[in-house]
Amino acid sequence: MAIYRIFPEKDTFINTEQTTGNAGKDEIIEVGGYTGVTDGTGQANRILMKFSDSEIDDVINNEIGNTNFSSSLKLYLADASELPVDYTLYAYPIYTG
């Protein structure tokens, strides 16, 4: 089984609590979220990553073809605090056409 790695061209995050947050200023992107203490609305960090469409197309068309495959996203932990027992990340593609 071959492994093909595709790295993002760009990454950043959106923070609902602090609108002047990182936003791509350094190499760390943040994941987090919690319920608001006073109003219960909650806060969240959302990661945005841009992958090269041509790289993805190349791997699919020239390497994988119509065979079965699986894919995964690997993120590494740099720092952690107040981690919950269970944590779920959701990933959604955004097509820019």
Side-chain angles (χ1 to χ4, degrees):
M1 170 176 68
I3 296 175
Y4 302 99
R5 290 186 172 94
I6 300 174
F7 296 95
E9 294 178 332
K10 301 175 185 179
D11 60 53
T12 189
F13 68 88
I14 300 170
N15 185 308
T16 59
E17 180 180 28
Q18 183 181 12
T19 57
T20 59
N22 179 308
K25 295 178 183 173
D26 66 30
E27 65 276 358
I28 303 291
I29 53 178
E30 295 183 24
V31 174
Y34 55 89
T35 305
V37 175
T38 56
D39 60 5
T41 58
Q43 305 299 329
N45 286 348
R46 292 172 177 87
I47 295 174
L48 302 172
M49 291 187 289
K50 165 102 176 76
F51 292 90
S52 167
D53 291 339
S54 60
E55 258 189 285
I56 294 170
D57 288 342
D58 179 58
V59 170
I60 291 172
N61 296 327
N62 299 320
E63 305 295 340
I64 297 172
N66 59 2
T67 60
N68 290 334
F69 70 95
S70 67
S71 59
S72 61
L73 175 65
K74 219 174 234 199
L75 301 173
Y76 295 92
L77 180 63
D79 185 24
S81 61
E82 300 179 17
L83 290 176
V85 174
D86 292 315
Y87 205 88
T88 303
L89 293 177
Y90 297 94
Y92 302 100
I94 299 174
Y95 300 102
T96 58

